[in-house]
């Protein structure tokens, strides 16, 4: 059932678990996410970035999700715009049928981020759609980074409190040291859990972790074994994901893990049988590989068996 983001995340917030927000760029990813949710009995958020919307067309994005939610009516699902950059982009998504949008204005100054977020919230709430915003910059932090440097890139908890009060945003992504993609940390992984707890205490709303892919060893290995190159890749360890959830994270954004798992399986078919050109022979194992990663994640985040 297609529901607004709040419906899924308020429950997660109250019961202290995390819900995977999985990016998709095609039917295969979407199908894997729904099938995993079905098997793990988990609610889901499916999200499309502006790039993904450009790639598929917004009518296709919404059409596919509406078909899937009919196919799996027992699964609570929200359709979310990931990293919306403008008011128009959020408005288009809302009018097309998205039930949740992110306005990402965190690269602007605090006042501009606040006023743009407020504008999106005012519009979204009159349409029954939930809104996510971001504070701070997504960036790895290292042990030897100074307090000043940390303060320059990570969320400021006092600002977060003001921001949430003034904008009435539904959920917030506080930067605590993660980044997008396969190369999140140069040395040992490090996140600012104290800052996270502080933000949770002062805002008391669902919080979002971006750049939350773990790149589990078996996924990296599968990619490397096919001749792929991911040298130096490092994700957010599972223990860190669980620690984040204890600190108040409820929406856990995941894209990279799915891409690597899928492409490792596709590469394997290509290597094993150079004569193969039936797309389904590549994509079926790709979907199986993604599904495994997603189910494992649902168990780790605590959203499994919540429906
Ligand atoms: C993400 C995805 N999407 O908004 O934050 O992060 O690259 O870690 O999957 P990953
Ligand atoms: Ca941002
Ligand atoms: Zn993100």
């Amino acid at each position: 059932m297609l529901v607004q983001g709040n419906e899924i995340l308020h429950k997660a917030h109250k019961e202290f678990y995390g819900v995977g927000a999985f990016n998709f760029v095609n039917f295969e990813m979407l199908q894997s996410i729904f099938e995993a949710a079905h098997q793990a009995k988990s609610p889901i958020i499916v999200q499309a970035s502006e790039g993904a919307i450009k790639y598929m067309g917004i009518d296709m994005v919404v059409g596919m999700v509406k078909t899937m939610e009919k196919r799996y009516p027992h699964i609570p699902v929200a359709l979310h715009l990931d990293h919306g950059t403008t008011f128009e982009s959020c408005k288009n998504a809302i009018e097309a049928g998205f039930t949740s949008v992110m306005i990402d204005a965190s690269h602007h100054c605090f006042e501009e981020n606040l006023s743009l977020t407020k504008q999106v919230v005012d519009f979204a709430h009159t349409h029954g759609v939930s809104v996510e915003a971001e504070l701070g910059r997504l960036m790895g932090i290292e042990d030897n980074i100074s307090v000043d440097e940390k303060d320059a890139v990570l969320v400021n908890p006092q600002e977060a409190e003001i921001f949430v009060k003034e904008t009435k945003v539904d959920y917030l992504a506080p930067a605590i040291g993660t980044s997008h993609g396969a190369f999140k940390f140069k040395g040992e992984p490090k996140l600012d859990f104290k800052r996270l707890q502080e933000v949770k205490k002062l805002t008391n709303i669902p919080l979002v972790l971006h750049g939350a892919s773990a790149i589990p060893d078996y996924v990296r290995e599968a990619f490397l074994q096919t001749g792929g190159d991911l040298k130096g890749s490092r994700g957010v360890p599972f223990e860190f994901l669980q620690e984040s959830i204890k600190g108040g994270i409820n929406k856990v954004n995941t894209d990279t893990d799915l891409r690597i798992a899928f492409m490792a399986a596709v590469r394997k078919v290509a290597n094993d049988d150079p004569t193969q050109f039936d797309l389904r022979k590549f994509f079926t194992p790709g979907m199986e590989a993604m599904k495994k990663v997603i189910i494992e994640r649902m168990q780790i985040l605590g959203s499994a068996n919540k429906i």
Side-chain angles (χ1 to χ4, degrees), residues 183-217:
F183 304 91
K184 299 182 188 302
F185 306 100
K186 292 219 177 65
E188 280 305 299
K190 197 164 170 39
L191 296 181
D192 196 333
F193 294 115
K194 247 189 86 201
R195 206 176 277 257
L196 171 64
Q197 288 160 9
E198 201 56 27
V199 172
K200 188 72 169 189
K201 201 176 76 198
L202 294 173
T203 61
N204 195 31
I205 62 169
L207 299 180
V208 183
L209 191 65
H210 280 257
S213 276
I215 321 181
D217 289 341

PDB file of all heavy atoms in Angstrom, residues 183-217:
ATOM      1  N   PHE A 183      33.520   4.840  -1.538  1.00  0.00           N
ATOM      2  CA  PHE A 183      34.751   5.235  -0.829  1.00  0.00           C
ATOM      3  C   PHE A 183      34.408   6.246   0.257  1.00  0.00           C
ATOM      4  O   PHE A 183      34.578   7.445   0.102  1.00  0.00           O
ATOM      5  CB  PHE A 183      35.760   5.821  -1.827  1.00  0.00           C
ATOM      6  CG  PHE A 183      36.058   4.870  -2.949  1.00  0.00           C
ATOM      7  CD1 PHE A 183      35.306   4.904  -4.120  1.00  0.00           C
ATOM      8  CD2 PHE A 183      37.057   3.914  -2.831  1.00  0.00           C
ATOM      9  CE1 PHE A 183      35.552   4.002  -5.150  1.00  0.00           C
ATOM     10  CE2 PHE A 183      37.316   3.008  -3.857  1.00  0.00           C
ATOM     11  CZ  PHE A 183      36.555   3.057  -5.021  1.00  0.00           C
ATOM     12  N   LYS A 184      33.911   5.739   1.375  1.00  0.00           N
ATOM     13  CA  LYS A 184      33.364   6.641   2.397  1.00  0.00           C
ATOM     14  C   LYS A 184      34.399   7.118   3.404  1.00  0.00           C
ATOM     15  O   LYS A 184      34.263   8.173   3.984  1.00  0.00           O
ATOM     16  CB  LYS A 184      32.239   5.939   3.151  1.00  0.00           C
ATOM     17  CG  LYS A 184      31.086   5.551   2.233  1.00  0.00           C
ATOM     18  CD  LYS A 184      29.978   4.912   3.016  1.00  0.00           C
ATOM     19  CE  LYS A 184      28.919   4.337   2.115  1.00  0.00           C
ATOM     20  NZ  LYS A 184      28.302   5.313   1.212  1.00  0.00           N
ATOM     21  N   PHE A 185      35.384   6.252   3.668  1.00  0.00           N
ATOM     22  CA  PHE A 185      36.361   6.575   4.716  1.00  0.00           C
ATOM     23  C   PHE A 185      37.764   6.295   4.204  1.00  0.00           C
ATOM     24  O   PHE A 185      37.986   5.270   3.561  1.00  0.00           O
ATOM     25  CB  PHE A 185      36.100   5.715   5.966  1.00  0.00           C
ATOM     26  CG  PHE A 185      34.687   5.797   6.483  1.00  0.00           C
ATOM     27  CD1 PHE A 185      33.773   4.793   6.197  1.00  0.00           C
ATOM     28  CD2 PHE A 185      34.268   6.880   7.249  1.00  0.00           C
ATOM     29  CE1 PHE A 185      32.462   4.857   6.668  1.00  0.00           C
ATOM     30  CE2 PHE A 185      32.961   6.956   7.714  1.00  0.00           C
ATOM     31  CZ  PHE A 185      32.054   5.937   7.424  1.00  0.00           C
ATOM     32  N   LYS A 186      38.692   7.191   4.518  1.00  0.00           N
ATOM     33  CA  LYS A 186      40.082   6.957   4.081  1.00  0.00           C
ATOM     34  C   LYS A 186      40.754   5.976   5.037  1.00  0.00           C
ATOM     35  O   LYS A 186      41.368   5.018   4.622  1.00  0.00           O
ATOM     36  CB  LYS A 186      40.843   8.273   4.015  1.00  0.00           C
ATOM     37  CG  LYS A 186      40.325   9.154   2.893  1.00  0.00           C
ATOM     38  CD  LYS A 186      41.431   9.884   2.162  1.00  0.00           C
ATOM     39  CE  LYS A 186      40.881  10.700   1.004  1.00  0.00           C
ATOM     40  NZ  LYS A 186      39.978  11.806   1.466  1.00  0.00           N
ATOM     41  N   GLY A 187      40.606   6.212   6.335  1.00  0.00           N
ATOM     42  CA  GLY A 187      41.176   5.288   7.319  1.00  0.00           C
ATOM     43  C   GLY A 187      40.057   4.448   7.918  1.00  0.00           C
ATOM     44  O   GLY A 187      39.191   3.957   7.203  1.00  0.00           O
ATOM     45  N   GLU A 188      40.107   4.321   9.229  1.00  0.00           N
ATOM     46  CA  GLU A 188      39.044   3.568   9.915  1.00  0.00           C
ATOM     47  C   GLU A 188      37.726   4.343   9.829  1.00  0.00           C
ATOM     48  O   GLU A 188      37.721   5.573   9.937  1.00  0.00           O
ATOM     49  CB  GLU A 188      39.421   3.378  11.390  1.00  0.00           C
ATOM     50  CG  GLU A 188      40.406   2.250  11.627  1.00  0.00           C
ATOM     51  CD  GLU A 188      39.910   0.933  11.038  1.00  0.00           C
ATOM     52  OE1 GLU A 188      38.846   0.448  11.463  1.00  0.00           O
ATOM     53  OE2 GLU A 188      40.581   0.394  10.127  1.00  0.00           O
ATOM     54  N   PRO A 189      36.604   3.633   9.640  1.00  0.00           N
ATOM     55  CA  PRO A 189      35.308   4.315   9.631  1.00  0.00           C
ATOM     56  C   PRO A 189      35.065   5.046  10.949  1.00  0.00           C
ATOM     57  O   PRO A 189      35.443   4.545  12.013  1.00  0.00           O
ATOM     58  CB  PRO A 189      34.315   3.166   9.476  1.00  0.00           C
ATOM     59  CG  PRO A 189      35.089   2.051   8.894  1.00  0.00           C
ATOM     60  CD  PRO A 189      36.496   2.200   9.385  1.00  0.00           C
ATOM     61  N   LYS A 190      34.475   6.223  10.845  1.00  0.00           N
ATOM     62  CA  LYS A 190      34.234   7.009  12.050  1.00  0.00           C
ATOM     63  C   LYS A 190      32.962   7.835  11.849  1.00  0.00           C
ATOM     64  O   LYS A 190      32.826   8.512  10.828  1.00  0.00           O
ATOM     65  CB  LYS A 190      35.440   7.935  12.271  1.00  0.00           C
ATOM     66  CG  LYS A 190      35.504   8.490  13.662  1.00  0.00           C
ATOM     67  CD  LYS A 190      36.879   9.077  13.962  1.00  0.00           C
ATOM     68  CE  LYS A 190      36.865   9.853  15.267  1.00  0.00           C
ATOM     69  NZ  LYS A 190      36.075   9.276  16.344  1.00  0.00           N
ATOM     70  N   LEU A 191      32.058   7.762  12.806  1.00  0.00           N
ATOM     71  CA  LEU A 191      30.849   8.597  12.744  1.00  0.00           C
ATOM     72  C   LEU A 191      30.695   9.308  14.091  1.00  0.00           C
ATOM     73  O   LEU A 191      31.122   8.793  15.123  1.00  0.00           O
ATOM     74  CB  LEU A 191      29.598   7.754  12.465  1.00  0.00           C
ATOM     75  CG  LEU A 191      29.527   7.024  11.113  1.00  0.00           C
ATOM     76  CD1 LEU A 191      28.213   6.272  10.996  1.00  0.00           C
ATOM     77  CD2 LEU A 191      29.692   7.992   9.959  1.00  0.00           C
ATOM     78  N   ASP A 192      30.051  10.455  14.064  1.00  0.00           N
ATOM     79  CA  ASP A 192      29.878  11.237  15.293  1.00  0.00           C
ATOM     80  C   ASP A 192      28.533  10.893  15.949  1.00  0.00           C
ATOM     81  O   ASP A 192      27.536  11.591  15.778  1.00  0.00           O
ATOM     82  CB  ASP A 192      29.963  12.729  14.950  1.00  0.00           C
ATOM     83  CG  ASP A 192      30.187  13.581  16.200  1.00  0.00           C
ATOM     84  OD1 ASP A 192      29.774  13.135  17.298  1.00  0.00           O
ATOM     85  OD2 ASP A 192      30.754  14.671  16.067  1.00  0.00           O
ATOM     86  N   PHE A 193      28.541   9.801  16.701  1.00  0.00           N
ATOM     87  CA  PHE A 193      27.299   9.327  17.318  1.00  0.00           C
ATOM     88  C   PHE A 193      26.794  10.277  18.403  1.00  0.00           C
ATOM     89  O   PHE A 193      25.594  10.381  18.630  1.00  0.00           O
ATOM     90  CB  PHE A 193      27.500   7.918  17.905  1.00  0.00           C
ATOM     91  CG  PHE A 193      27.752   6.868  16.865  1.00  0.00           C
ATOM     92  CD1 PHE A 193      28.967   6.202  16.801  1.00  0.00           C
ATOM     93  CD2 PHE A 193      26.780   6.557  15.932  1.00  0.00           C
ATOM     94  CE1 PHE A 193      29.201   5.238  15.823  1.00  0.00           C
ATOM     95  CE2 PHE A 193      27.004   5.597  14.956  1.00  0.00           C
ATOM     96  CZ  PHE A 193      28.215   4.938  14.909  1.00  0.00           C
ATOM     97  N   LYS A 194      27.730  10.947  19.072  1.00  0.00           N
ATOM     98  CA  LYS A 194      27.325  11.869  20.139  1.00  0.00           C
ATOM     99  C   LYS A 194      26.479  13.011  19.571  1.00  0.00           C
ATOM    100  O   LYS A 194      25.463  13.413  20.121  1.00  0.00           O
ATOM    101  CB  LYS A 194      28.581  12.450  20.827  1.00  0.00           C
ATOM    102  CG  LYS A 194      28.704  11.979  22.266  1.00  0.00           C
ATOM    103  CD  LYS A 194      29.796  12.718  22.999  1.00  0.00           C
ATOM    104  CE  LYS A 194      29.260  14.025  23.576  1.00  0.00           C
ATOM    105  NZ  LYS A 194      30.337  14.990  23.859  1.00  0.00           N
ATOM    106  N   ARG A 195      26.952  13.505  18.446  1.00  0.00           N
ATOM    107  CA  ARG A 195      26.250  14.600  17.766  1.00  0.00           C
ATOM    108  C   ARG A 195      24.858  14.125  17.324  1.00  0.00           C
ATOM    109  O   ARG A 195      23.865  14.845  17.434  1.00  0.00           O
ATOM    110  CB  ARG A 195      27.072  15.007  16.551  1.00  0.00           C
ATOM    111  CG  ARG A 195      26.903  16.414  16.089  1.00  0.00           C
ATOM    112  CD  ARG A 195      27.862  16.680  14.948  1.00  0.00           C
ATOM    113  NE  ARG A 195      29.196  17.033  15.394  1.00  0.00           N
ATOM    114  CZ  ARG A 195      29.689  18.268  15.405  1.00  0.00           C
ATOM    115  NH1 ARG A 195      28.958  19.268  14.950  1.00  0.00           N
ATOM    116  NH2 ARG A 195      30.909  18.525  15.830  1.00  0.00           N
ATOM    117  N   LEU A 196      24.818  12.889  16.849  1.00  0.00           N
ATOM    118  CA  LEU A 196      23.545  12.311  16.420  1.00  0.00           C
ATOM    119  C   LEU A 196      22.544  12.263  17.585  1.00  0.00           C
ATOM    120  O   LEU A 196      21.386  12.676  17.456  1.00  0.00           O
ATOM    121  CB  LEU A 196      23.783  10.895  15.867  1.00  0.00           C
ATOM    122  CG  LEU A 196      22.548  10.042  15.573  1.00  0.00           C
ATOM    123  CD1 LEU A 196      21.711  10.676  14.465  1.00  0.00           C
ATOM    124  CD2 LEU A 196      22.967   8.625  15.162  1.00  0.00           C
ATOM    125  N   GLN A 197      23.012  11.762  18.724  1.00  0.00           N
ATOM    126  CA  GLN A 197      22.129  11.661  19.899  1.00  0.00           C
ATOM    127  C   GLN A 197      21.615  13.030  20.338  1.00  0.00           C
ATOM    128  O   GLN A 197      20.459  13.189  20.727  1.00  0.00           O
ATOM    129  CB  GLN A 197      22.869  11.002  21.068  1.00  0.00           C
ATOM    130  CG  GLN A 197      23.102   9.522  20.866  1.00  0.00           C
ATOM    131  CD  GLN A 197      24.216   8.978  21.750  1.00  0.00           C
ATOM    132  OE1 GLN A 197      24.709   9.665  22.643  1.00  0.00           O
ATOM    133  NE2 GLN A 197      24.620   7.738  21.498  1.00  0.00           N
ATOM    134  N   GLU A 198      22.501  14.004  20.234  1.00  0.00           N
ATOM    135  CA  GLU A 198      22.163  15.376  20.593  1.00  0.00           C
ATOM    136  C   GLU A 198      21.053  15.908  19.667  1.00  0.00           C
ATOM    137  O   GLU A 198      20.070  16.506  20.130  1.00  0.00           O
ATOM    138  CB  GLU A 198      23.458  16.182  20.397  1.00  0.00           C
ATOM    139  CG  GLU A 198      23.597  17.484  21.113  1.00  0.00           C
ATOM    140  CD  GLU A 198      23.434  17.453  22.609  1.00  0.00           C
ATOM    141  OE1 GLU A 198      23.697  16.415  23.249  1.00  0.00           O
ATOM    142  OE2 GLU A 198      23.018  18.497  23.143  1.00  0.00           O
ATOM    143  N   VAL A 199      21.195  15.652  18.380  1.00  0.00           N
ATOM    144  CA  VAL A 199      20.193  16.091  17.403  1.00  0.00           C
ATOM    145  C   VAL A 199      18.848  15.407  17.694  1.00  0.00           C
ATOM    146  O   VAL A 199      17.789  16.036  17.666  1.00  0.00           O
ATOM    147  CB  VAL A 199      20.640  15.781  15.945  1.00  0.00           C
ATOM    148  CG1 VAL A 199      19.511  16.065  14.958  1.00  0.00           C
ATOM    149  CG2 VAL A 199      21.876  16.585  15.585  1.00  0.00           C
ATOM    150  N   LYS A 200      18.919  14.115  18.014  1.00  0.00           N
ATOM    151  CA  LYS A 200      17.673  13.379  18.278  1.00  0.00           C
ATOM    152  C   LYS A 200      16.970  13.964  19.501  1.00  0.00           C
ATOM    153  O   LYS A 200      15.752  14.167  19.502  1.00  0.00           O
ATOM    154  CB  LYS A 200      17.977  11.898  18.503  1.00  0.00           C
ATOM    155  CG  LYS A 200      16.744  11.015  18.591  1.00  0.00           C
ATOM    156  CD  LYS A 200      16.063  10.843  17.240  1.00  0.00           C
ATOM    157  CE  LYS A 200      14.991   9.767  17.271  1.00  0.00           C
ATOM    158  NZ  LYS A 200      14.485   9.466  15.915  1.00  0.00           N
ATOM    159  N   LYS A 201      17.769  14.227  20.537  1.00  0.00           N
ATOM    160  CA  LYS A 201      17.204  14.752  21.781  1.00  0.00           C
ATOM    161  C   LYS A 201      16.531  16.108  21.537  1.00  0.00           C
ATOM    162  O   LYS A 201      15.433  16.364  22.022  1.00  0.00           O
ATOM    163  CB  LYS A 201      18.327  14.891  22.823  1.00  0.00           C
ATOM    164  CG  LYS A 201      17.831  14.930  24.260  1.00  0.00           C
ATOM    165  CD  LYS A 201      18.983  14.963  25.245  1.00  0.00           C
ATOM    166  CE  LYS A 201      19.595  16.343  25.299  1.00  0.00           C
ATOM    167  NZ  LYS A 201      20.957  16.356  25.900  1.00  0.00           N
ATOM    168  N   LEU A 202      17.174  16.949  20.765  1.00  0.00           N
ATOM    169  CA  LEU A 202      16.668  18.311  20.569  1.00  0.00           C
ATOM    170  C   LEU A 202      15.537  18.405  19.540  1.00  0.00           C
ATOM    171  O   LEU A 202      14.769  19.356  19.547  1.00  0.00           O
ATOM    172  CB  LEU A 202      17.815  19.253  20.162  1.00  0.00           C
ATOM    173  CG  LEU A 202      18.883  19.489  21.242  1.00  0.00           C
ATOM    174  CD1 LEU A 202      20.052  20.288  20.680  1.00  0.00           C
ATOM    175  CD2 LEU A 202      18.286  20.222  22.441  1.00  0.00           C
ATOM    176  N   THR A 203      15.461  17.431  18.627  1.00  0.00           N
ATOM    177  CA  THR A 203      14.424  17.517  17.579  1.00  0.00           C
ATOM    178  C   THR A 203      13.275  16.538  17.802  1.00  0.00           C
ATOM    179  O   THR A 203      12.133  16.832  17.455  1.00  0.00           O
ATOM    180  CB  THR A 203      15.017  17.238  16.180  1.00  0.00           C
ATOM    181  OG1 THR A 203      15.565  15.909  16.163  1.00  0.00           O
ATOM    182  CG2 THR A 203      16.091  18.244  15.824  1.00  0.00           C
ATOM    183  N   ASN A 204      13.614  15.359  18.305  1.00  0.00           N
ATOM    184  CA  ASN A 204      12.625  14.306  18.551  1.00  0.00           C
ATOM    185  C   ASN A 204      11.747  13.988  17.328  1.00  0.00           C
ATOM    186  O   ASN A 204      10.529  13.853  17.433  1.00  0.00           O
ATOM    187  CB  ASN A 204      11.757  14.683  19.761  1.00  0.00           C
ATOM    188  CG  ASN A 204      10.980  13.489  20.279  1.00  0.00           C
ATOM    189  OD1 ASN A 204      11.453  12.352  20.181  1.00  0.00           O
ATOM    190  ND2 ASN A 204       9.775  13.722  20.797  1.00  0.00           N
ATOM    191  N   ILE A 205      12.391  13.905  16.161  1.00  0.00           N
ATOM    192  CA  ILE A 205      11.688  13.473  14.942  1.00  0.00           C
ATOM    193  C   ILE A 205      12.505  12.346  14.299  1.00  0.00           C
ATOM    194  O   ILE A 205      13.654  12.115  14.697  1.00  0.00           O
ATOM    195  CB  ILE A 205      11.478  14.632  13.926  1.00  0.00           C
ATOM    196  CG1 ILE A 205      12.830  15.189  13.448  1.00  0.00           C
ATOM    197  CG2 ILE A 205      10.596  15.731  14.505  1.00  0.00           C
ATOM    198  CD1 ILE A 205      12.709  16.134  12.254  1.00  0.00           C
ATOM    199  N   PRO A 206      11.931  11.647  13.304  1.00  0.00           N
ATOM    200  CA  PRO A 206      12.721  10.609  12.620  1.00  0.00           C
ATOM    201  C   PRO A 206      13.962  11.239  11.959  1.00  0.00           C
ATOM    202  O   PRO A 206      13.876  12.321  11.386  1.00  0.00           O
ATOM    203  CB  PRO A 206      11.755  10.074  11.557  1.00  0.00           C
ATOM    204  CG  PRO A 206      10.386  10.418  12.050  1.00  0.00           C
ATOM    205  CD  PRO A 206      10.544  11.715  12.797  1.00  0.00           C
ATOM    206  N   LEU A 207      15.096  10.560  12.049  1.00  0.00           N
ATOM    207  CA  LEU A 207      16.330  11.049  11.425  1.00  0.00           C
ATOM    208  C   LEU A 207      16.771  10.107  10.302  1.00  0.00           C
ATOM    209  O   LEU A 207      16.404   8.931  10.284  1.00  0.00           O
ATOM    210  CB  LEU A 207      17.429  11.190  12.475  1.00  0.00           C
ATOM    211  CG  LEU A 207      17.136  12.172  13.620  1.00  0.00           C
ATOM    212  CD1 LEU A 207      18.317  12.210  14.607  1.00  0.00           C
ATOM    213  CD2 LEU A 207      16.829  13.579  13.108  1.00  0.00           C
ATOM    214  N   VAL A 208      17.549  10.675   9.378  1.00  0.00           N
ATOM    215  CA  VAL A 208      17.897   9.963   8.142  1.00  0.00           C
ATOM    216  C   VAL A 208      19.409   9.834   8.016  1.00  0.00           C
ATOM    217  O   VAL A 208      20.131  10.813   8.226  1.00  0.00           O
ATOM    218  CB  VAL A 208      17.369  10.754   6.918  1.00  0.00           C
ATOM    219  CG1 VAL A 208      17.663  10.003   5.623  1.00  0.00           C
ATOM    220  CG2 VAL A 208      15.878  11.059   7.071  1.00  0.00           C
ATOM    221  N   LEU A 209      19.880   8.644   7.662  1.00  0.00           N
ATOM    222  CA  LEU A 209      21.306   8.467   7.394  1.00  0.00           C
ATOM    223  C   LEU A 209      21.523   8.304   5.891  1.00  0.00           C
ATOM    224  O   LEU A 209      21.083   7.313   5.292  1.00  0.00           O
ATOM    225  CB  LEU A 209      21.840   7.234   8.140  1.00  0.00           C
ATOM    226  CG  LEU A 209      23.363   7.089   8.149  1.00  0.00           C
ATOM    227  CD1 LEU A 209      24.029   8.224   8.926  1.00  0.00           C
ATOM    228  CD2 LEU A 209      23.795   5.736   8.732  1.00  0.00           C
ATOM    229  N   HIS A 210      22.189   9.280   5.296  1.00  0.00           N
ATOM    230  CA  HIS A 210      22.588   9.167   3.886  1.00  0.00           C
ATOM    231  C   HIS A 210      23.927   8.442   3.822  1.00  0.00           C
ATOM    232  O   HIS A 210      24.636   8.331   4.810  1.00  0.00           O
ATOM    233  CB  HIS A 210      22.715  10.564   3.264  1.00  0.00           C
ATOM    234  CG  HIS A 210      21.402  11.138   2.877  1.00  0.00           C
ATOM    235  ND1 HIS A 210      20.956  11.187   1.585  1.00  0.00           N
ATOM    236  CD2 HIS A 210      20.405  11.641   3.638  1.00  0.00           C
ATOM    237  CE1 HIS A 210      19.751  11.717   1.559  1.00  0.00           C
ATOM    238  NE2 HIS A 210      19.386  12.011   2.801  1.00  0.00           N
ATOM    239  N   GLY A 211      24.238   7.968   2.621  1.00  0.00           N
ATOM    240  CA  GLY A 211      25.539   7.313   2.447  1.00  0.00           C
ATOM    241  C   GLY A 211      25.697   6.135   3.383  1.00  0.00           C
ATOM    242  O   GLY A 211      26.740   5.937   3.990  1.00  0.00           O
ATOM    243  N   ALA A 212      24.648   5.323   3.507  1.00  0.00           N
ATOM    244  CA  ALA A 212      24.629   4.276   4.532  1.00  0.00           C
ATOM    245  C   ALA A 212      24.985   2.886   4.001  1.00  0.00           C
ATOM    246  O   ALA A 212      24.869   1.904   4.717  1.00  0.00           O
ATOM    247  CB  ALA A 212      23.261   4.242   5.211  1.00  0.00           C
ATOM    248  N   SER A 213      25.428   2.809   2.751  1.00  0.00           N
ATOM    249  CA  SER A 213      25.806   1.485   2.236  1.00  0.00           C
ATOM    250  C   SER A 213      26.959   0.912   3.039  1.00  0.00           C
ATOM    251  O   SER A 213      27.857   1.644   3.484  1.00  0.00           O
ATOM    252  CB  SER A 213      26.197   1.577   0.752  1.00  0.00           C
ATOM    253  OG  SER A 213      25.035   1.516  -0.051  1.00  0.00           O
ATOM    254  N   ALA A 214      26.941  -0.422   3.218  1.00  0.00           N
ATOM    255  CA  ALA A 214      27.943  -1.086   4.057  1.00  0.00           C
ATOM    256  C   ALA A 214      29.077  -1.690   3.224  1.00  0.00           C
ATOM    257  O   ALA A 214      30.172  -1.910   3.736  1.00  0.00           O
ATOM    258  CB  ALA A 214      27.271  -2.171   4.884  1.00  0.00           C
ATOM    259  N   ILE A 215      28.800  -1.962   1.956  1.00  0.00           N
ATOM    260  CA  ILE A 215      29.704  -2.762   1.125  1.00  0.00           C
ATOM    261  C   ILE A 215      30.202  -3.978   1.907  1.00  0.00           C
ATOM    262  O   ILE A 215      31.393  -4.087   2.237  1.00  0.00           O
ATOM    263  CB  ILE A 215      30.881  -1.951   0.553  1.00  0.00           C
ATOM    264  CG1 ILE A 215      30.389  -0.550   0.145  1.00  0.00           C
ATOM    265  CG2 ILE A 215      31.515  -2.676  -0.642  1.00  0.00           C
ATOM    266  CD1 ILE A 215      31.458   0.320  -0.448  1.00  0.00           C
ATOM    267  N   PRO A 216      29.293  -4.915   2.205  1.00  0.00           N
ATOM    268  CA  PRO A 216      29.704  -6.117   2.934  1.00  0.00           C
ATOM    269  C   PRO A 216      30.818  -6.837   2.161  1.00  0.00           C
ATOM    270  O   PRO A 216      30.862  -6.759   0.926  1.00  0.00           O
ATOM    271  CB  PRO A 216      28.428  -6.977   2.957  1.00  0.00           C
ATOM    272  CG  PRO A 216      27.305  -6.031   2.679  1.00  0.00           C
ATOM    273  CD  PRO A 216      27.882  -4.955   1.820  1.00  0.00           C
ATOM    274  N   ASP A 217      31.697  -7.523   2.899  1.00  0.00           N
ATOM    275  CA  ASP A 217      32.853  -8.178   2.263  1.00  0.00           C
ATOM    276  C   ASP A 217      32.454  -9.082   1.117  1.00  0.00           C
ATOM    277  O   ASP A 217      33.103  -9.099   0.075  1.00  0.00           O
ATOM    278  CB  ASP A 217      33.638  -8.989   3.310  1.00  0.00           C
ATOM    279  CG  ASP A 217      34.384  -8.069   4.275  1.00  0.00           C
ATOM    280  OD1 ASP A 217      34.588  -6.887   3.909  1.00  0.00           O
ATOM    281  OD2 ASP A 217      34.736  -8.524   5.374  1.00  0.00           O
TER     282      ASP A 217
END
